[in-house]
Amino acid sequence: IQKLCDRVASSTLLDDRRDAVRALKSLSKKYRLEVGIQAMEHLIRVLQTDRSDSEIIGYALDTLYNVISNDLEEEEQEENAPKQVDDLGSQFTEIFIKQQENVTLLLTLVEEFDFHVRWPGVKLLTSLLKQQGPQVQQIILVSPMGVSRLMDLLADSREVIRNDGVLLLQQLTKSNAAIQKIVAFENAFERLLDIITEEGNSDGGIVVEDCLLLLQNLLKNNNSNQNFFKEGSYIQRMKPWFEVSDDNCGWSAQKVTNLHLMLQLVRVLVSPTNPPGATSSCQKAMFHCGLLQQLCTILMATGVPADILTETINTVSEVIRGCQINQDYFASVNAPSNPPRPAIVVLLMSMVNERQPFVLRCAVLYCFQCFLYKNHKGQGEIVSTLLPSTIDATGSSVSAGQLLCGGLFSTDSLSNWCAAVALAHALQENATLKEQLLRVQLATSIGNPPVSLLQQCTNILSQGSKVQTRVGLLMLLCTWLSNCSIAVTHFLHNPANVPFLTGQIAENLGEEEQLVQGLCALLLGISIYYNDNSLENYRKEKLKQLIEKRIGKENFIEKLGFISKHELYSRAAQKPQPSFSSPDHMMFDHEFTKLVKELEGVISKAIYKSSEEDKKEEEVKKTLEQHDNIVTHYKKVIREQDQELEELKQRVNTLTSQNEQLQATVTQQVSQIQQHKDQYNLLKVQLGKDTQHHNSHGDAFQVNGIQTEDVSKLKEELEEWKTKHELLQGQLREKDSVIEQLKTSPLEVGTTEQSSQTSRPGGLEHSTDLQKELEMLRSQLQLQTVEISRLQMENQKLQALNAGADPVSGGSGAAAANGSELEGRLEQEIRELKSEVKALSEEKESLRQHLDSASSTVAILQDEKSKLQQEVAESKKEQDDLLVLLADQDQKLSALKIKLKDLGVPVEDEDDIESGDQGDEDEDGDEEEQD
C-alpha cells in the first residue's frame, strides 16, 4: 500500500498513476483501515489534478467510497465489531470533510456526465451524508448552487444514477428545513411524482418506496413545503395511488410497503400537529379531488391486508378530523352489504368485537373520535340513536348507540373501555346532549323495570369489575357530569353513589387501584364543583364536611394527584391518536387528559374553601347574574331605541322625498308662469301696434275735422271708461296689497326657518323661488299700470282736441265713417284691456293659492322637524342616562370580579366581552344620533 501511494504521488506518467489507484481500489475492501490512513490524501490530490482523465477519477472515487462506507464491511465483520466499523467510517468522513473544498470538489465531479465519474461520486456523497449528516449538509448549503446541482440527478436518463440520486436526496433532506425548502422549490415534487407514475404507483418497486420516503422528508413538519404542495395541486395527483382493483388477493410485500407509505404521506398533510388552517385546507382539497372517497372505497373493500386496512382507517380519521364537510360525507358512506349499513356502524362492530386485532380496534376508536371532533351534528346523531323516541322497535338494524351500549356492558374489558371513551366523545363540550342522555333507559332483565344509563354505569362500577372497565366508566361519568349541574343532581340523587366514592377513596389499596381512587376523587370533586345545591342532603358544604370527616382534605388532594402523575396519563396527553403497546396499557384518552388538567386545580381550591367563602361566592354569582340581567335589559332598551331611531330616519326620508316632489311641482308652476309671461309679451306687442293706428286716426281728425255730436258721444264714452279704469285701478291696488301680504308672509316663514336650514333646506328654497316669481309678477303689473296711464294720457289729448276744435256745420259722410271706426277701435282696445286685467287677476289668485299651499307645507315640515328634534333629544338624554348606569354597573362588576379573584374563583371572560360589547353598542348609538 505504501509503495502504491508513493507511485501515485511521484509518478509522472498518467498510466502509472492510474494503475496504482486501480491497485489501491482492489486493496481498499480488505485493508480498509490501512488504505484509508495512507492513501486518502493522495487520492484527494488525484481528484484535484487529474480531472481530465475520467478513468482515474472513477477509481479514486470508488476507493474513497470503500474506505468511508460501512455498507460492504458490515456483512463481513464479526458480531462484536459493528460499533468499531461505524466509528471507522465516521472518522474517515471527518478527515475528508475537514477541508470543505473537498466536498465542493465532489459536488463539481457529480456534475460530470461521464457514468464512471458521476455514479461513484453520488455514492461517495451519500456515504458522507450517512456518516456526518449535519456537517456535510451545512457545507453543501453554503456551496454556490450546491443543492441545485444535486437536483439534476433526478433528470438523469440512466436509472441507476437517478435512483441513487433519490437516495442521496433522502440523506441530504433529513432534519434540515432549509435544504428541504430549496429542494421543494427546485421542482422536486413534480419530478418525484412523475417517477412514481412511471414506475406504476403502488405496484412499483423499491424506487417508488425511495421516492415516497423522500417526499415524507420534504413534507413532514415543514409547513412551507406542505402549503407549496397543496397550492401546486399535487394532492390531486395522489388520488390514482389508491385505486385498487376488486381482486385484492395476493398483494406483494413491496405493494403493501408502498401503499403504507402513501397513506402515511396523506397523514403528514393532515396531521393534528400541523397548523389548523393548513390542515383544514388540505382536508377540503382531498374531499374535492375525490381522494377521501377513494380512501373510503379501500375502507369498505374486501381482501385488503389487515395492516393496510388499519392504516387506511387512521388516514381517513385524520382527513375528516374537525372538517365538517368531510365528516358529513363520512356519515353518508355505506358498506356494500345487504341491507346497506353505515360505515360507522360497521366500524363500531369491529371495535366491540374482541376477536378483531388490537391495533384495528384502536384505529376504529380513533376514527370514531375524529368523526365526533368539533362535530355537534354528528354527536347529536349518535346520541339520538339511544333516545327512546328514535330507537328502532322492530330491531331489524342495529344502531351506533346500541353497539356502544352493548360494548359498554359486555364481558370484554377492552370493549367496555372503548365504548365508554367513544360515548364520552359524543358528549364532549355539548351540554345539551349531556342532558338528553339522562333520558336513556335500559332494560336489564325481563320483569324488572328499566334503569337509566347513568344508574347502570354506577351499578357496574360498584360491582368491582376489572380496572380497565372501571377506568373507562369513571372517565365517561367525569365527562358526562362536568359542566352539567342537572347530571350532577341525577348522580347525587342515588343515595349509594357518594358512600361508594368516599369508600373507594378512603381505602389504602395497591398501585393498580390508585388510578381508580384518583378518578373517584375527580368524580366526587366534579360533583362538588358543579353542584347547584338543589339536593338538601348533598349540598356543597355537606359533601366537603363528608370528605373532611371520612377521607381528609390532604388525603383527598393526594389521591386526586395520582391521575396526572401516572405514566400512562403522560403518554396519552402527547397526541390524539390512541397508540398503546398492549391492551393492558389502554387506560387514558387524550381528550380526558385535557379535562383533568382543566379541573384538577379548581377542584382543589373548591375543597379548601370555607362555607362563608362559598356563601360569598354564591352571593357574588347571584349579583353577577342580576347585573347580567340588568345589562341585558339595557341592551334590549338600547336596541328598541335604535329601532325607533331607524323608524324616525325613515320618516325623515319620506318627508324629504315629499319635499322633493313639492319642489318638482313648483318647478312645473314656474315653467307655466314663464309661458304666461311669453303670452303677455305677445299681447303687449299687439297693443303697441294698435296704439300707432290710434295716433294716425287722431291726425286724420285734425285734418278732416269731427262733428260735435260725435265728439260729445266719444267724450261720454271716455268718461265711462275712465270710471271703469279707476275701478280697475282700485282692484289693482287691492291685488297689490294682497301680493304685499303674500310677500311678507313667506319672509316671516323664512325667518322662523333659519334655525333649521340644515335639516329643511327644501322648504326655504321653495318660498324664496315663490318670492322671486311674485316680484316678477309685480313688475309686470307695474308695466301694465304704466300702459294704462299712457292710455289716460291719450284720452286727455282727445279731450283737448275736442275743446280746441271749431264747430263745423254739416259734416261729410267720410268724417262720420271715421268717427264710427274710431269708436269701434276704442271699444275693442278697452275690451282687450279688460280681458288682460281679468286674466292677470286670475293668475294672481292662482299664485296666491299656490303660495298658501307652499306656506302650509313649510309649516307642516317645520312642525314635524321640531317633533323629530324633540324625540332625538329625548332619546339622547335616555341613552346618556343608560351610559351612566352602565358605567356604574361596570365599576360594580370589576369590584366583584376582584373579590372573586381574591377568593380564588376563576372569572370567565364572557363578562368582559359583554361589557366590551356594551361599550361598542353605546358608541354606535352615539354616532347614529350625531348622524
Side-chain angles (χ1 to χ4, degrees):
I1 294 172
Q2 184 61 47
K3 288 180 181 179
L4 292 172
C5 289
D6 292 339
R7 286 177 61 187
V8 171
S10 59
S11 295
T12 54
L13 292 176
L14 179 60
D15 290 340
D16 292 342
R17 292 198 301 276
R18 187 189 304 125
D19 293 339
V21 173
R22 185 191 296 115
L24 285 172
K25 174 190 171 185
S26 61
L27 292 171
S28 61
K29 292 182 180 180
K30 189 173 183 180
Y31 303 103
R32 176 183 177 193
L33 178 63
E34 293 79 2
V35 173
I37 292 173
Q38 299 181 44
M40 181 173 285
E41 185 178 349
H42 303 295
L43 293 170
I44 292 172
R45 190 174 297 111
V46 167
L47 296 178
Q48 293 170 344
T49 57
D50 293 329
R51 290 184 56 187
S52 58
D53 185 68
S54 60
E55 194 173 352
I56 192 172
I57 295 294
Y59 292 148
L61 291 171
D62 282 332
T63 307
L64 288 171
Y65 173 73
N66 292 338
V67 168
I68 289 173
S69 174
N70 295 322
D71 298 341
L72 299 174
E73 282 76 7
E74 281 179 352
E75 300 175 0
E76 302 172 5
Q77 295 292 330
E78 296 176 1
E79 293 181 0
N80 59 354
K83 187 175 180 182
Q84 179 186 354
V85 171
D86 290 341
D87 291 341
L88 196 58
S90 179
Q91 289 171 9
F92 282 133
T93 302
E94 195 171 344
I95 294 170
F96 184 83
I97 65 173
K98 195 171 185 179
Q99 300 294 328
Q100 292 190 9
E101 53 268 21
N102 292 342
V103 180
T104 308
L105 174 64
L106 191 54
L107 289 173
T108 308
L109 293 172
V110 167
E111 281 189 289
E112 296 287 338
F113 186 73
D114 192 313
F115 181 81
H116 297 290
V117 175
R118 196 172 206 181
W119 188 39
V122 169
K123 291 196 294 181
L124 176 57
L125 194 53
T126 305
S127 185
L128 292 174
L129 284 163
K130 283 182 180 179
Q131 303 297 336
Q132 298 285 343
Q135 293 88 332
V136 180
Q137 284 174 341
Q138 197 59 36
I139 297 171
I140 294 175
L141 194 57
V142 298
S143 299
M145 299 293 290
V147 178
S148 300
R149 296 178 193 175
L150 300 179
M151 283 301 299
D152 292 338
L153 297 171
L154 295 181
D156 199 305
S157 58
R158 296 160 293 195
E159 288 191 7
V160 176
I161 294 179
R162 184 199 68 183
N163 298 344
D164 281 352
V166 173
L167 296 174
L168 169 59
L169 290 172
Q170 273 184 33
Q171 299 299 325
L172 181 66
T173 54
K174 274 186 180 177
S175 306
N176 193 310
I179 293 179
Q180 289 167 4
K181 290 178 184 178
I182 296 172
V183 171
F185 282 96
E186 289 283 347
N187 207 21
F189 294 139
E190 184 79 30
R191 295 182 184 181
L192 291 172
L193 291 173
D194 287 342
I195 294 172
I196 292 172
T197 305
E198 291 170 8
E199 295 291 327
N201 294 328
S202 60
D203 292 322
I206 190 74
V207 179
V208 172
E209 179 183 346
D210 293 336
C211 290
L212 291 169
L213 289 170
L214 177 53
L215 283 171
Q216 278 194 24
N217 282 357
L218 296 175
L219 292 172
K220 197 166 188 176
N221 300 324
N222 193 317
N223 299 329
S224 172
N225 282 2
Q226 288 173 7
N227 188 54
F228 181 64
F229 191 84
K230 178 184 73 70
E231 296 295 334
S233 299
Y234 295 121
I235 290 178
Q236 287 82 333
R237 295 188 60 179
M238 298 168 73
K239 182 189 173 185
W241 296 354
F242 305 104
E243 292 176 354
V244 295
S245 59
D246 296 333
D247 183 17
N248 292 319
C249 58
W251 285 28
S252 66
Q254 187 62 56
K255 180 173 182 177
V256 171
T257 303
N258 290 345
L259 204 52
H260 202 274
L261 289 171
M262 289 170 176
L263 292 167
Q264 286 182 347
L265 194 62
V266 175
R267 293 184 66 185
V268 165
L269 294 171
V270 292
S271 171
T273 58
N274 293 345
T279 300
S280 177
S281 58
C282 287
Q283 287 172 331
K284 290 174 182 175
M286 289 175 183
F287 173 76
H288 291 301
C289 76
L291 180 58
L292 174 59
Q293 293 84 329
Q294 203 69 47
L295 291 172
C296 290
T297 303
I298 297 177
L299 200 65
M300 295 292 108
T302 56
V304 178
D307 53 347
I308 293 297
L309 182 60
T310 303
E311 190 64 22
T312 304
I313 294 172
N314 287 327
T315 306
V316 171
S317 306
E318 294 182 353
V319 173
I320 67 174
R321 187 176 190 267
C323 181
Q324 189 65 53
I325 184 173
N326 291 4
Q327 289 167 336
D328 291 344
Y329 170 76
F330 185 68
S332 67
V333 174
N334 286 323
S337 60
N338 191 16
R341 286 177 175 169
I344 297 172
V345 172
V346 174
L347 291 174
L348 287 177
M349 291 171 72
S350 300
M351 185 184 77
V352 297
N353 184 353
E354 56 186 300
R355 290 193 297 271
Q356 294 291 343
F358 172 65
V359 288
L360 179 64
R361 298 174 74 179
C362 289
V364 172
L365 176 62
Y366 184 45
C367 185
F368 192 71
Q369 291 174 348
C370 291
F371 170 67
L372 297 178
Y373 183 70
K374 293 184 179 179
N375 183 9
H376 290 293
K377 179 183 174 185
Q379 288 176 323
E381 290 172 353
I382 296 297
V383 172
S384 67
T385 60
L386 285 167
L387 298 179
S389 58
T390 56
I391 291 176
D392 185 4
T394 62
S396 59
S397 62
V398 65
S399 67
Q402 290 168 325
L403 284 171
L404 290 177
C405 280
L408 198 61
F409 308 125
S410 74
T411 56
D412 177 31
S413 61
L414 187 58
S415 296
N416 301 155
W417 191 93
C418 291
V421 170
L423 199 53
H425 276 260
L427 304 175
Q428 203 80 39
E429 298 178 1
N430 199 325
T432 307
L433 295 182
K434 290 178 182 179
E435 295 177 10
Q436 287 188 5
L437 201 63
L438 295 170
R439 297 164 44 205
V440 176
Q441 299 289 321
L442 300 174
T444 53
S445 59
I446 300 174
N448 292 330
V451 296
S452 68
L453 176 62
L454 184 67
Q455 179 65 44
Q456 185 66 12
C457 288
T458 55
N459 290 343
I460 294 175
L461 199 60
S462 61
Q463 289 171 4
S465 51
K466 291 183 180 179
V467 173
Q468 192 174 39
T469 301
R470 283 181 287 162
V471 168
L473 289 171
L474 285 168
M475 285 197 296
L476 171 60
L477 290 173
C478 289
T479 307
W480 194 346
L481 268 59
S482 65
N483 206 19
C484 184
S485 300
I486 298 175
V488 171
T489 304
H490 277 71
F491 178 76
L492 295 176
H493 196 269
N494 185 351
N497 286 341
V498 173
F500 167 73
L501 291 179
T502 54
Q504 285 286 316
I505 300 167
E507 289 182 15
N508 290 320
L509 303 171
E511 290 186 6
E512 289 186 357
E513 295 293 332
Q514 285 183 350
L515 192 54
V516 176
Q517 286 184 312
L519 290 169
C520 287
L522 179 66
L523 183 58
L524 188 56
I526 290 172
S527 301
I528 294 172
Y529 186 71
Y530 291 106
N531 192 342
D532 59 0
N533 293 328
S534 57
L535 293 176
E536 185 62 32
N537 294 333
Y538 296 105
R539 297 173 64 85
K540 284 185 179 181
E541 187 58 34
K542 290 191 175 181
L543 288 174
K544 285 195 282 188
Q545 290 174 0
L546 187 66
I547 289 174
E548 178 69 30
K549 183 178 178 182
R550 297 269 183 91
I551 305 168
K553 291 182 179 179
E554 290 78 9
N555 192 22
F556 179 86
I557 299 301
E558 181 185 355
K559 297 290 176 70
L560 184 63
F562 285 164
I563 303 173
S564 55
K565 292 176 183 176
H566 203 282
E567 180 187 359
L568 297 176
Y569 174 91
S570 303
R571 288 186 192 173
Q574 292 174 0
K575 59 180 181 178
Q577 182 182 357
S579 55
F580 306 99
S581 55
S582 69
D584 295 336
H585 293 163
M586 208 169 190
M587 288 293 177
F588 284 109
D589 171 55
H590 178 75
E591 292 296 327
F592 181 73
T593 61
K594 293 181 182 178
L595 182 68
V596 173
K597 199 176 296 182
E598 177 187 342
L599 293 178
E600 189 175 7
V602 295
I603 289 174
S604 301
K605 290 179 182 177
I607 294 298
Y608 280 109
K609 277 182 186 172
S610 64
S611 58
E612 293 179 358
E613 290 176 338
D614 278 338
K615 288 178 182 177
K616 288 180 181 178
E617 183 182 335
E618 289 294 331
E619 291 175 0
V620 170
K621 284 184 178 179
K622 288 180 180 178
T623 310
L624 285 173
E625 288 177 0
Q626 291 175 357
H627 286 299
D628 289 341
N629 293 334
I630 294 171
V631 170
T632 306
H633 171 69
Y634 283 132
K635 281 184 177 181
K636 183 179 179 182
V637 171
I638 289 173
R639 277 195 293 270
E640 291 174 354
Q641 290 184 346
D642 288 340
Q643 291 176 357
E644 291 176 2
L645 281 173
E646 286 296 327
E647 292 174 358
L648 291 174
K649 283 182 180 180
Q650 291 177 359
R651 288 181 59 189
V652 168
N653 292 333
T654 305
L655 292 173
T656 305
S657 63
Q658 291 178 357
N659 190 16
E660 290 174 355
Q661 292 176 359
L662 290 173
Q663 287 180 354
T665 306
V666 170
T667 306
Q668 187 178 1
Q669 292 175 354
V670 168
S671 64
Q672 292 176 357
I673 291 171
Q674 184 65 38
Q675 291 177 0
H676 291 312
K677 286 164 68 176
D678 295 340
Q679 292 174 3
Y680 171 75
N681 290 331
L682 289 172
L683 291 172
K684 184 178 177 182
V685 171
Q686 291 177 0
L687 185 61
K689 292 180 181 178
D690 293 339
T691 305
Q692 290 177 0
H693 286 298
H694 175 72
N695 291 336
S696 64
H697 290 313
D699 294 339
F701 288 157
Q702 291 179 1
V703 173
N704 299 322
I706 302 173
Q707 293 182 358
T708 306
E709 295 177 358
D710 296 335
V711 172
S712 62
K713 287 180 181 178
L714 288 172
K715 187 175 180 181
E716 290 174 358
E717 290 177 357
L718 283 173
E719 286 294 332
E720 290 176 3
W721 286 115
K722 187 175 181 181
T723 57
K724 291 180 179 178
H725 177 66
E726 288 175 355
L727 289 171
L728 288 172
Q729 280 187 330
Q731 292 176 359
L732 284 173
R733 281 193 292 274
E734 290 177 2
K735 302 294 184 184
D736 288 341
S737 64
V738 171
I739 290 170
E740 196 66 26
Q741 290 175 0
L742 291 172
K743 180 180 178 183
T744 56
S745 63
L747 287 174
E748 291 174 359
V749 173
T751 305
T752 58
E753 286 293 313
Q754 283 179 355
S755 62
S756 60
Q757 284 181 356
T758 56
S759 61
R760 294 287 185 275
L764 185 56
E765 292 175 1
H766 184 120
S767 59
T768 306
D769 293 338
L770 289 176
Q771 289 174 24
K772 291 179 181 178
E773 291 163 7
L774 288 171
E775 286 294 333
M776 293 174 66
L777 288 175
R778 277 185 61 81
S779 63
Q780 293 171 8
L781 288 172
Q782 287 175 358
L783 290 173
Q784 289 183 352
T785 306
V786 170
E787 188 67 25
I788 292 171
S789 63
R790 188 178 59 76
L791 290 174
Q792 289 176 350
M793 295 280 293
E794 290 177 0
N795 187 17
Q796 291 175 0
K797 286 181 183 180
L798 287 173
Q799 289 177 356
L801 179 64
N802 187 21
D806 293 333
V808 180
S809 60
S812 63
N818 288 333
S820 62
E821 185 180 353
L822 178 62
E823 182 179 350
R825 284 181 178 277
L826 285 172
E827 287 177 357
Q828 184 178 357
E829 289 176 0
I830 288 168
R831 280 196 300 271
E832 289 175 355
L833 285 172
K834 284 175 71 177
S835 64
E836 288 177 2
V837 170
K838 184 178 180 182
L840 288 172
S841 64
E842 290 176 354
E843 287 180 4
K844 282 184 182 179
E845 188 65 28
S846 65
L847 288 173
R848 187 175 67 180
Q849 291 176 357
H850 287 311
L851 186 59
D852 288 341
S853 64
S855 301
S856 63
T857 303
V858 169
I860 291 169
L861 291 173
Q862 182 185 4
D863 187 30
E864 290 181 350
K865 182 235 176 192
S866 63
K867 288 180 181 178
L868 288 173
Q869 285 181 335
Q870 186 177 0
E871 290 174 355
V872 170
E874 289 175 358
S875 65
K876 187 173 182 180
K877 184 179 178 183
E878 289 178 2
Q879 286 193 350
D880 290 337
D881 294 340
L882 291 176
L883 283 172
V884 172
L885 286 171
L886 286 174
D888 293 340
Q889 295 297 332
D890 288 339
Q891 291 178 357
K892 292 179 182 178
L893 282 171
S894 59
L896 290 168
K897 286 175 186 172
I898 291 171
K899 288 181 181 179
L900 276 173
K901 288 179 180 177
D902 293 337
L903 293 171
V905 177
V907 181
E908 295 179 357
D909 294 332
E910 292 177 358
D911 298 335
D912 297 335
I913 293 168
E914 287 184 0
S915 63
D917 293 341
Q918 177 68 44
D920 294 341
E921 289 181 9
D922 290 341
E923 289 174 5
D924 295 340
D926 293 341
E927 290 173 4
E928 288 175 1
E929 288 171 5
Q930 290 173 5
D931 294 337

